[in-house]
Amino acid sequence: MKKKIGFFQSIDFKIVFVFIILLLVALELIGAYFIRQLETQLVDNFQEERRLQVGFLDNTLQPLLENDEDQNLTEEISRLLADFSGNGVLEAQVINPQHHILGTSDSTNQSIVGGNSNDRDVHQALLLSSKITNQYTDKTTNDRIWKLVSPIIANDGSNEVLGVISLKTNIESVYQQIEEITVIFLNASLLAVGLTILLALFISRAITKPITEMTHQAIQMAGGNYSGQVKIYGEDELGQLSLAINDLSIKVEEAQESTEAERRRLNSVLTHMTDGVIATDRRGKIVIINEMAMEMLNTSQEEAIGQSILKVLKKENEFTLRKLLKTEQELSFDFSTPETPLILHGGFSLIQRETGFISGIVCVLHDVTEQEKIERERRDFVSNVSHELRTPLTSMRSYLEALIDGAWKDPEIAPNFLQVTQEETDRMIRMISDLLNLSRMDAGNNALDMEYVNINELFNHVLNRFDMMIQSSDQPKKTFFIKREITNRQIWAEIDTDKMMQVFDNIMNNAIKYSPDGGTITCSLRETHDNVVISISDQGMGIPKKDLPHVFDRFYRVEKARARSMGGTGLGLAISKEVVQRHGGKIWANSSEGKGTTFYVLLPYIPYEEDDWE
């Protein structure tokens, strides 16, 4: 489907934009240089004209100032300055070396004649015997004023300063003239930009029209229509490209017809296969790979095509292509990662012509991860059960043989042997009972008997039983203290009472087994907004970090020898995990070696007041 191109994304806009940018850059450079040179020239001409006027006045005043005895000096200077006006001259003053104003051209300000001048530029010109120029803005009119202070030097070779001429002129007219010229230039530039836009549009349309037709033809070809032809407008590069597209359309149509049927058959087979399929050429380079194979091998078509099948299957160090061709049995490929297990079985067959020439290999990959997992778990389960049952049976056999050999006659030894035999028998019965419970849970046959129960009372009941065990035993193997941290709020939840009591019993039994003599077992019950959290902490040896993720696995023991000596089956925590998960909750453990272990049980609940159930 042809995507509509916006005007600002089109070549028309880009060509017009480039033309305008080039024109604006050129106009900016030319205009900046022209206006700057014009401003410099006009200002220099204005200032030079004022300097000539001051120079003429200087030549006229020099003999008058040299003759200090002339009584009519002030009148002569006033007469000369009265004629010194026009061309923007605001005021001209003549000041003697003593800073006395000898005359001014301003007829309205004749009162300053005879007074002292406080002009800093006049003082500086008298002090340095040099011309001083200054340009500033009149605060009243905001016009720019150019000021020239020129010393009058004696012509007798003494370089004596006879006085200074201070000339103030309005130079604003010069800048106004520059601004008018700048406006004319900007108007001309805008007209040039408009004409450039029209010219650029005309040129861009002449370029984009054949490109648009070629694009339309390419889209038709992509859709399977090869009947159209691109109009050739000239023999330039675009004309040659149009001719090439027309030739390509004809050739693609011919090739498409010959391969379409074969492609449909091949795609149909590969698409509907649930196994991965890889086909290679005679050199073992991959030429076809279906989606299932790419998903299994975690690769893409671009990465796989052209690669050696041995490299993709990660067998380049074990097989050569010739050895692979001679392999008649399926090969196993382990692509497992720490996060995802993946085991594949691959079968290979040759692609041969009638002459016997081998033109490639086809590999079919089967995902056997689940089967391998089930088989491994089955082997581990049989091995663990056999080992767990063999240990008590071997012990019982040894004691029974001793009894048969006459130990039953010894009144001191025989009861101990029989007691050990009974304990081992009880241990096997517990193990078989746990296995049956797990089997029912796995099969989904062990339904939960759900009822609303006060969790506070249930948890306290379990802890009371363990407190009573301590008090009822005359000589306990070790003493321990149960510390309770239970919320006062009554918490009701829907649970299977018997099974949750079994969970609490399993965790408490583990805490008692691994707590040191005189240790404290902290039991906590608290609530969140929609969960109840029960924790049981001991002060035992703790669980190593590497073993912590496996404590809920079946038959897993951190210290197997010690666990068996304490009578554990290795199934209590596994059963607890299954029960908690069937309640929609979670169970986990935190531990620090040498400090103890804490088991957490999280159960979902809806806050209900006890009165709601009365």
Side-chain angles (χ1 to χ4, degrees):
M1 181 178 180
K2 182 179 178 181
K3 182 180 179 181
K4 185 177 181 180
I5 300 176
F7 174 75
F8 294 104
Q9 297 176 323
S10 64
I11 295 179
D12 289 338
F13 171 76
K14 294 177 182 178
I15 292 176
V16 173
F17 181 75
V18 170
F19 269 73
I20 293 175
I21 291 297
L22 293 175
L23 178 61
L24 290 177
V25 170
L27 290 176
E28 181 69 20
L29 295 176
I30 295 173
Y33 178 78
F34 171 73
I35 298 299
R36 181 61 181 169
Q37 290 297 319
L38 178 63
E39 178 182 350
T40 302
Q41 187 65 37
L42 292 176
V43 171
D44 288 346
N45 290 342
F46 179 86
Q47 293 176 353
E48 185 62 28
E49 184 178 350
R50 300 292 87 78
R51 288 189 180 94
L52 290 176
Q53 287 179 317
V54 171
F56 173 76
L57 184 60
D58 186 336
N59 293 332
T60 306
L61 291 174
Q62 183 180 342
L64 295 176
L65 295 176
E66 286 178 346
N67 186 8
D68 293 338
E69 298 178 356
D70 189 352
Q71 300 298 325
N72 299 321
L73 178 62
T74 301
E75 295 178 1
E76 289 292 331
I77 292 175
S78 297
R79 183 181 59 79
L80 290 173
L81 292 177
D83 297 333
F84 198 82
S85 62
N87 292 329
V89 176
L90 298 178
E91 184 182 9
Q93 294 181 357
V94 178
I95 301 97
N96 66 10
Q98 288 75 33
H99 301 165
H100 294 159
I101 301 174
L102 300 178
T104 177
S105 64
D106 189 355
S107 59
T108 63
N109 199 21
Q110 291 296 322
S111 61
I112 66 173
V113 176
N116 289 331
S117 174
N118 296 323
D119 194 328
R120 293 178 58 186
D121 295 333
V122 170
H123 294 182
Q124 189 174 5
L126 290 171
L127 180 64
L128 300 177
S129 301
S130 61
K131 294 181 179 181
I132 302 298
T133 61
N134 184 20
Q135 183 169 312
Y136 61 93
T137 301
D138 191 318
K139 296 182 179 179
T140 304
T141 62
N142 288 328
D143 290 344
R144 279 166 280 201
I145 307 300
W146 186 71
K147 181 180 179 182
L148 172 63
V149 180
S150 177
I152 304 173
I153 307 299
N155 200 21
D156 57 1
S158 62
N159 292 329
E160 179 186 0
V161 178
L162 302 176
V164 295
I165 301 172
S166 175
L167 179 67
K168 294 181 182 179
T169 58
N170 190 336
I171 199 174
E172 186 66 30
S173 60
V174 175
Y175 288 99
Q176 289 178 354
Q177 185 179 3
I178 295 172
E179 291 176 0
E180 292 173 358
I181 296 174
T182 302
V183 171
I184 295 174
F185 179 80
L186 289 177
N187 291 333
S189 299
L190 292 176
L191 179 60
V193 169
L195 293 175
T196 301
I197 292 175
L198 295 177
L199 179 61
L201 285 173
F202 177 76
I203 294 174
S204 64
R205 291 293 172 84
I207 295 174
T208 58
K209 185 176 181 181
I211 293 177
T212 302
E213 293 183 1
M214 285 185 282
T215 303
H216 179 68
Q217 177 61 19
I219 293 174
Q220 286 186 327
M221 291 171 59
N225 183 7
Y226 307 100
S227 60
Q229 291 289 302
V230 179
K231 183 178 179 180
I232 300 174
Y233 290 92
E235 297 182 358
D236 55 6
E237 289 83 354
L238 291 175
Q240 293 179 357
L241 180 59
S242 300
L243 181 62
I245 289 179
N246 291 336
D247 293 340
L248 177 63
S249 177
I250 296 173
K251 292 179 180 179
V252 170
E253 184 178 11
E254 294 174 353
Q256 185 73 12
E257 292 176 354
S258 62
T259 59
E260 184 63 24
E262 188 66 27
R263 185 187 64 81
R264 284 198 300 267
R265 286 194 296 269
L266 181 60
N267 285 343
S268 179
V269 172
L270 295 179
T271 301
H272 293 87
M273 288 192 66
T274 57
D275 293 327
V277 178
I278 303 175
T280 73
D281 59 14
R282 58 186 301 270
R283 297 179 179 84
K285 304 295 182 182
I286 296 176
V287 293
I288 296 174
I289 181 170
N290 69 347
E291 292 289 338
M292 186 59 67
M294 288 188 287
E295 182 179 345
M296 290 177 175
L297 301 175
N298 191 24
T299 186
S300 63
Q301 192 170 17
E302 292 76 13
E303 294 175 350
I305 297 299
Q307 292 289 333
S308 171
I309 188 173
L310 295 174
K311 183 177 181 180
V312 172
L313 296 177
K314 298 180 181 180
K315 290 289 184 179
E316 64 269 25
N317 296 328
E318 303 178 27
F319 286 88
T320 62
L321 186 61
R322 183 179 296 275
K323 184 178 179 181
L324 187 65
L325 295 176
K326 295 180 180 179
T327 301
E328 297 182 357
Q329 60 182 4
E330 286 190 345
L331 298 179
S332 179
F333 307 97
D334 190 351
F335 292 96
S336 300
T337 64
E339 297 79 16
T340 307
L342 178 62
I343 300 176
L344 305 177
H345 280 181
F348 298 87
S349 60
L350 303 180
I351 303 175
Q352 287 182 304
R353 300 178 184 173
E354 294 180 356
T355 59
F357 179 79
I358 298 175
S359 59
I361 307 172
V362 173
C363 173
V364 180
L365 299 173
H366 310 278
D367 187 351
V368 295
T369 306
E370 191 63 27
Q371 296 91 312
E372 289 290 331
K373 178 183 177 182
I374 294 173
E375 181 63 22
R376 183 174 62 254
E377 290 178 349
R378 184 191 63 79
R379 290 194 300 266
D380 292 342
F381 180 78
V382 172
S383 175
N384 287 327
V385 171
S386 300
H387 185 76
E388 295 296 335
L389 290 177
R390 184 172 63 247
T391 301
L393 286 173
T394 301
S395 177
M396 290 172 59
R397 180 177 179 179
S398 299
Y399 283 105
L400 290 174
E401 287 178 351
L403 290 171
I404 293 173
D405 290 339
W408 63 273
K409 298 177 181 180
D410 191 329
E412 295 181 359
I413 297 178
N416 292 332
F417 281 13
L418 292 173
Q419 182 179 359
V420 171
T421 303
Q422 183 181 5
E423 290 176 354
E424 295 296 335
T425 303
D426 292 340
R427 178 180 169 188
M428 285 190 294
I429 292 173
R430 289 196 304 271
M431 184 183 303
I432 293 172
S433 177
D434 290 343
L435 288 173
L436 289 174
N437 287 334
L438 284 173
S439 177
R440 294 190 190 99
M441 291 180 186
D442 291 339
N445 298 327
N446 195 1
L448 297 177
D449 185 12
M450 306 294 283
E451 60 179 338
Y452 277 99
V453 176
N454 188 311
I455 299 295
N456 308 61
E457 295 180 359
L458 177 65
F459 195 44
N460 275 313
H461 173 70
V462 173
L463 300 182
N464 290 337
R465 287 196 293 106
F466 282 94
D467 274 333
M468 189 173 296
M469 289 170 54
I470 303 173
Q471 299 171 4
S472 62
S473 178
D474 295 335
Q475 294 181 345
K477 296 180 180 179
K478 59 182 177 180
T479 60
F480 57 89
F481 174 71
I482 298 177
K483 179 182 178 182
R484 308 188 191 198
E485 296 177 351
I486 300 177
T487 178
N488 292 327
R489 176 180 171 83
Q490 298 301 308
I491 302 173
W492 292 77
E494 189 177 16
I495 61 173
D496 186 320
T497 304
D498 292 337
K499 290 184 172 56
M500 286 308 304
M501 286 184 64
Q502 184 181 7
V503 172
F504 297 149
D505 286 345
N506 287 335
I507 299 176
M508 284 296 298
N509 281 323
N510 283 339
I512 293 172
K513 289 177 185 177
Y514 296 105
S515 288
D517 189 15
T520 299
I521 300 174
T522 302
C523 302
S524 171
L525 172 63
R526 61 184 185 275
E527 62 170 328
T528 63
H529 66 285
D530 57 358
N531 291 300
V532 55
V533 181
I534 298 144
S535 65
I536 299 175
S537 303
D538 62 50
Q539 296 177 332
M541 67 188 73
I543 302 173
K545 188 176 181 180
K546 64 180 180 63
D547 296 314
L548 197 58
H550 305 289
V551 294
F552 296 100
D553 295 347
R554 300 176 185 184
F555 294 109
Y556 189 86
R557 293 187 178 93
V558 177
E559 293 185 11
K560 296 184 178 180
R562 181 172 179 179
R564 289 195 184 95
S565 67
M566 293 182 176
T569 64
L571 297 173
L573 291 178
I575 293 174
S576 299
K577 180 180 178 181
E578 293 288 341
V579 170
V580 172
Q581 287 181 345
R582 292 192 64 187
H583 279 78
K586 296 179 182 178
I587 183 171
W588 70 96
N590 290 334
S591 182
S592 298
E593 289 190 67
K595 296 182 179 180
T597 303
T598 301
F599 282 88
Y600 296 90
V601 175
L602 182 145
L603 295 174
Y605 89 106
I606 301 175
Y608 287 112
E609 296 294 338
E610 184 177 1
D611 294 341
D612 295 340
W613 302 100
E614 293 180 355

